[in-house]
Amino acid sequence: MTERTLAIIKPDAVRRNLTGEIITIITQAGFRIVGMKLLRMTKEQAENFYQVHRGRPFFEDLTRFMSSGPVVVMVLEKDHAVEDFRSLIGATDPAEALPGTIRHRFGTSKGENAIHGSDSVENALWEIAFFFSLTELVDHTS
Ligand code: DAT
Ligand code: MG
């Protein structure tokens, strides 16, 4: 089943000029980009986006980091996009991510792990709506 997921190239990766390389990896893995924007989250936006983590010890560092510079937000489409994208990015902690995964290649710490991917179909729908209106998502079929 064709599915959509939300990806964010995080501020650490954008700062290190890894955006192009990461997009190449994603598209070569068979994901179609149906929405994409460059933006800088405010601290409040980051707190809202990560509201499920409010109260966790890392919440302050996480939301400060995610608002520390520009990010590239993308809606990706593919069969089983959510699960397949989580496999492509690897475990949260780059030290535990499998070789070849984006976090293993480009992440530098559990906090600064280069990329975000939705963890369920339900959360993907919520995360996509957080950043995109339906008119900003394109249809690739003719
Ligand atoms: P994921 O991004 O793999 O879905 P998550 O939803 O548990 O992981 O956490 C969201 C982000 O918060 C994660 O990408 C990095 C940061 N984070 C999570 N746990 C952390 C920890 N123990 N220490 C520092 N940062 C953490
Ligand atoms: Mg998560």
Side-chain angles (χ1 to χ4, degrees), residues 53-83:
H53 294 307
R54 196 180 286 278
R56 301 275 186 89
F58 58 85
F59 185 71
E60 184 57 28
D61 283 351
L62 170 63
T63 53
R64 201 182 317 112
F65 165 61
M66 288 302 290
S67 58
S68 70
V71 297
V72 175
V73 188
M74 286 176 286
V75 178
L76 305 174
E77 195 174 75
K78 181 187 181 298
D79 282 354
H80 310 294
V82 170
E83 192 187 335

Side-chain angles (χ1 to χ4, degrees), residues 53 86 116-117 119:
H53 294 307
R86 292 289 296 197
H116 167 86
D119 67 358

Side-chain angles (χ1 to χ4, degrees):
M1 247 277 280
T2 295
E3 209 170 79
R4 286 175 173 179
T5 192
L6 186 90
I8 306 177
I9 303 176
K10 295 188 179 185
D12 55 330
V14 174
R15 231 175 335 255
R16 290 160 58 217
N17 293 323
L18 297 168
T19 300
E21 198 171 344
I22 290 173
I23 290 174
T24 298
I25 292 167
I26 291 169
T27 52
Q28 286 185 346
F31 293 87
R32 288 180 298 279
I33 301 172
V34 298
M36 177 157 68
K37 51 179 82 167
L38 175 79
L39 57 89
R40 180 167 179 168
M41 277 190 255
T42 64
K43 180 72 158 56
E44 291 68 31
Q45 265 179 309
E47 288 171 0
N48 285 330
F49 183 76
Y50 281 112
Q51 59 186 259
V52 295
H53 294 307
R54 196 180 286 278
R56 301 275 186 89
F58 58 85
F59 185 71
E60 184 57 28
D61 283 351
L62 170 63
T63 53
R64 201 182 317 112
F65 165 61
M66 288 302 290
S67 58
S68 70
V71 297
V72 175
V73 188
M74 286 176 286
V75 178
L76 305 174
E77 195 174 75
K78 181 187 181 298
D79 282 354
H80 310 294
V82 170
E83 192 187 335
D84 287 0
F85 193 66
R86 292 289 296 197
S87 299
L88 184 68
I89 72 177
T92 307
D93 186 346
E96 290 168 14
L98 294 177
T101 61
I102 294 174
R103 282 169 165 172
H104 181 265
R105 290 178 67 178
F106 303 119
T108 52
S109 68
K110 197 165 185 182
E112 304 206 356
N113 58 8
I115 192 146
H116 167 86
S118 308
D119 67 358
S120 69
V121 173
E122 187 190 1
N123 287 338
L125 291 171
W126 183 87
E127 292 179 0
I128 290 166
F130 187 92
F131 287 109
F132 294 89
S133 61
L134 283 178
T135 55
E136 293 174 310
L137 303 178
V138 304
D139 187 354
H140 285 240
T141 58
S142 50

